Amino acid sequence: DETNELNTNAQLSGTSIEITDSGGTMSVDLDPTFTTDTELASAITDSEDLDLDKDETNELNTNAQLSGTSIEITDSGGTMSVDLDPTFTTDTELASAITDS
């Protein structure tokens, strides 16, 4: 019913989202939910400090690709393949399911 939609405004104010309707404005602080740029930069620095292997020449993965329903990861030891067919529905399977219902 389009006549009972009461929200008149929604805005982000600092780290809070404010929703306004005929009853007033409600505010929810999203700070615990999201990371600020400063927090993200600090987390990246902390992660880099913990990385004891910063040698870029020993990274072995050289390729990753989707081939049909399989994901293939290639490194210096060869290519490993995992069939994702049981995990996901193909377009054909989805179309068939829609048609059957």
Side-chain angles (χ1 to χ4, degrees):
D1 183 1
E2 295 178 9
T3 62
N4 68 359
E5 303 304 319
L6 302 177
N7 291 337
T8 58
N9 189 36
Q11 70 180 18
L12 190 60
S13 177
T15 60
S16 295
I17 189 163
E18 297 175 349
I19 306 295
T20 304
D21 65 15
S22 62
T25 300
M26 299 290 294
S27 179
V28 175
D29 187 6
L30 301 175
D31 187 49
T33 308
F34 300 102
T35 301
T36 64
D37 290 344
T38 303
E39 292 167 334
L40 181 58
S42 177
I44 290 170
T45 299
D46 291 347
S47 175
E48 288 173 345
D49 290 345
L50 294 172
D51 183 2
L52 301 177
D53 175 20
K54 296 184 181 184
D55 183 357
E56 295 178 10
T57 64
N58 70 359
E59 303 305 322
L60 300 177
N61 290 339
T62 58
N63 190 36
Q65 70 180 19
L66 190 60
S67 177
T69 60
S70 295
I71 186 151
E72 298 175 347
I73 307 294
T74 304
D75 64 16
S76 62
T79 300
M80 299 289 295
S81 180
V82 176
D83 187 7
L84 301 176
D85 188 49
T87 309
F88 300 102
T89 301
T90 66
D91 290 344
T92 302
E93 291 167 333
L94 182 59
S96 175
I98 292 170
T99 303
D100 291 344
S101 39

